[in-house]
Amino acid sequence: MNTEQYDIAVIGGGPAGTAAAIRAARAGLSVIVFEKGKHGRDKVCGDGLTPRAIGALNELEIPLDDAHYIRGLRMIAGKRVRELDWPTTERFPNHGAVWPRRRLDTALMDAAAAAGAEMVYETEALPIMDGDKVLGVEAGVGPSARKIHAGLTIVAAGAVGKVAKMLRADRVEGETFGLAIRTYAETPRHDDVHLEALLSLKGDDGRAVPGYGWMFPAGDGTVNIGCGALSTMKGFKKLNLNTMLENYRKQVMPEWDLGPNLERARAWRLPMSTQKRHGAGWVAIGDAAGLVNPMNGEGIDYGLESGMLAVDLYIENPANAPARYDQLVGEQFDAFLRTGRRFSFLIGHPWILKPGLALSVSTESIAKITLAVMGNLVDNQTPGMAGKVMWLADKGLGLVDPILRKTRAAA
């Protein structure tokens, strides 16, 4: 088998991987992307795009004509309802979108190909290891098998599977993760301009669940309806996602005038940590790097940003790009994501969860902070009250983290 040489090899053709490919190809680098699925494949997801994600798509010059415009978020906790628009800031646009993943991912794949990236579908790729160093990837079987050497291998294949295990980039044992489930239904409110999040979600036993139920109007006659829960809740292993979704569906059916489910409900796992996100010759981006907000399960925006960042650093200095990437990602996101994981242990206790939910939307000022957290608008560059609150939360929860972990509810 002949060895082919590329500047960058990407494992995974979702938003993170294609963002990296677009950036690299437009900069004149040779880049190849291996995707296990077909072109235009679906990915189980809530389909919601935060203003942060819209900002990243704008930077990639991806037309958003096919996406449904979203002005803000409606948060429901008990009987309290807060409907807020996304804030206007210097960093991000003041709107989001709903864009079903089948169409979003196809647009990104096509943009990568148009930029000059080589897109290879229905092909599994695994890293070529030389000790702890990644030299590139081996992909395919039989006559179509290929051996690729690359200056940088970018892992965008999620936090589970062979690649993650080979690189020790899988989830940190004992850390928070989430489970979510979604389907689609027809509704006359398909063109609503607010996402809806029911924060006071209940499980099949009627107990409060640390998670939320969502209604994400797609603008095409349908709404993405789903719910998710965190692994820190009591009885998590016994949680029946289908029952929880059906109970939630009954709860929102009158307000949304829902038709029958249009497809079988599908569940997925939300990684929220990783043991490693870089090494000699490689970096992990997006879900593979554990870049998922524990407060909302959202990670598309982080995937887009981390994919572009990895390529930018490789262009700047190939030799130290992996280490520099790990440093900058850590500086920007680690404190916020760590706070979210620690907070998940706190709200895993029902006696804390209920008053906490009431507080989250109790006043408009507090609700705006909740909005910023739910919209992934908080990181090390966030000014104002939201940034200060998250900084204080990181410090405070850090002190009690050992206690939170020891007293976590039985799964």
Side-chain angles (χ1 to χ4, degrees):
M1 188 189 306
N2 292 329
T3 300
E4 304 172 65
Q5 187 68 44
Y6 286 77
D7 292 313
I8 291 180
V10 183
I11 303 175
T18 49
I22 292 167
R23 194 73 146 203
R26 287 178 181 168
L29 301 180
S30 57
V31 55
I32 186 167
V33 180
F34 291 97
E35 165 56 43
K36 288 173 64 176
K38 298 179 179 180
H39 176 261
R41 58 95 172 108
D42 193 15
K43 170 73 186 295
V44 191
C45 182
D47 301 333
L49 298 175
T50 65
R52 186 177 203 124
I54 298 300
L57 290 170
N58 288 342
E59 187 173 345
L60 288 166
E61 300 177 1
I62 304 299
L64 295 165
D65 302 343
D66 190 41
H68 175 56
Y69 172 90
I70 293 294
R71 195 171 73 204
L73 176 66
R74 183 182 309 112
M75 297 174 285
I76 304 171
K79 296 181 180 179
R80 175 84 70 177
V81 179
R82 294 278 183 187
E83 186 173 283
L84 300 175
D85 291 347
W86 298 118
T88 299
T89 69
E90 295 181 357
R91 297 181 62 199
F92 308 117
N94 62 356
H95 64 278
V98 173
W99 201 355
R101 285 292 298 273
R102 185 181 288 108
R103 307 202 307 259
L104 166 65
D105 288 18
T106 298
L108 287 164
M109 290 173 179
D110 290 347
E118 183 178 347
M119 304 294 295
V120 183
Y121 298 101
E122 300 180 69
T123 303
E124 183 179 28
L126 297 174
I128 300 173
M129 308 292 295
D130 180 13
D132 290 333
K133 184 177 183 179
V134 173
L135 302 178
V137 302
E138 288 183 328
V141 294
S144 63
R146 300 175 69 176
K147 185 176 182 180
I148 308 292
H149 276 189
L152 180 67
T153 299
I154 296 179
V155 178
V160 296
K162 295 180 183 177
V163 178
K165 289 181 180 179
M166 289 176 67
L167 298 174
R168 288 185 289 124
D170 46 356
R171 184 179 71 88
V172 178
E173 191 66 32
E175 279 291 358
T176 304
F177 66 93
L179 290 177
I181 187 169
R182 71 101 165 103
T183 186
Y184 295 92
E186 293 183 348
T187 173
R189 293 180 58 186
H190 68 95
D191 57 355
D192 267 24
V193 294
H194 284 84
L195 306 177
E196 183 171 291
L198 176 68
L199 305 181
S200 49
L201 185 66
K202 294 184 179 180
D204 49 356
D205 59 358
R207 292 181 179 178
V209 170
Y212 71 103
W214 68 78
M215 302 294 287
F216 290 176
D220 59 0
T222 71
V223 62
N224 181 313
I225 172 175
C227 51
L230 292 167
S231 60
T232 56
M233 67 173 284
K234 184 177 181 180
F236 178 76
K237 291 182 178 178
K238 299 178 182 179
L239 183 66
N240 187 313
L241 288 175
N242 284 289
T243 302
M244 185 170 69
L245 177 61
E246 186 57 32
N247 289 339
Y248 173 59
R249 193 184 195 286
K250 292 176 182 176
Q251 189 172 348
V252 297
M253 184 184 293
E255 287 288 333
W256 285 81
D257 192 17
L258 294 177
N261 289 348
L262 296 174
E263 62 177 51
R264 178 181 60 85
R266 297 168 65 191
W268 73 104
R269 192 181 182 105
L270 295 162
M272 295 172 181
S273 64
T274 186
Q275 296 191 59
K276 291 180 66 177
R277 61 183 171 218
H278 87 291
W282 69 276
V283 297
I285 62 176
D287 285 7
L291 300 178
V292 176
N293 184 348
M295 306 293 197
N296 63 4
E298 166 60 25
I300 292 176
D301 40 17
Y302 299 142
L304 296 169
E305 289 185 18
S306 60
M308 289 189 284
L309 175 63
V311 172
D312 289 346
L313 293 172
Y314 178 78
I315 293 170
E316 182 181 303
N317 187 338
N320 71 357
R324 183 74 175 137
Y325 166 83
D326 185 62
Q327 176 190 350
L328 292 181
V329 168
E331 289 174 358
Q332 186 165 8
F333 299 123
D334 277 358
F336 172 65
L337 298 179
R338 179 176 63 239
T339 298
R341 292 193 297 270
R342 288 170 172 169
F343 187 72
S344 73
F345 286 101
L346 189 66
I347 62 174
H349 297 283
W351 57 276
I352 295 177
L353 176 60
K354 190 171 181 179
L357 290 175
L359 177 63
S360 67
V361 294
S362 58
T363 69
E364 185 160 333
S365 296
I366 294 176
K368 286 181 178 179
I369 296 172
T370 305
L371 179 73
V373 171
M374 294 290 286
N376 288 15
L377 304 180
V378 182
D379 57 30
N380 70 326
Q381 301 175 41
T382 304
M385 186 57 68
K388 292 177 181 177
V389 168
M390 292 307 295
W391 184 86
L392 290 170
D394 182 42
K395 300 302 180 184
L397 289 174
L399 294 174
V400 299
D401 185 57
I403 299 173
L404 293 175
R405 291 173 184 275
K406 287 182 180 179
T407 60
R408 68 179 298 179

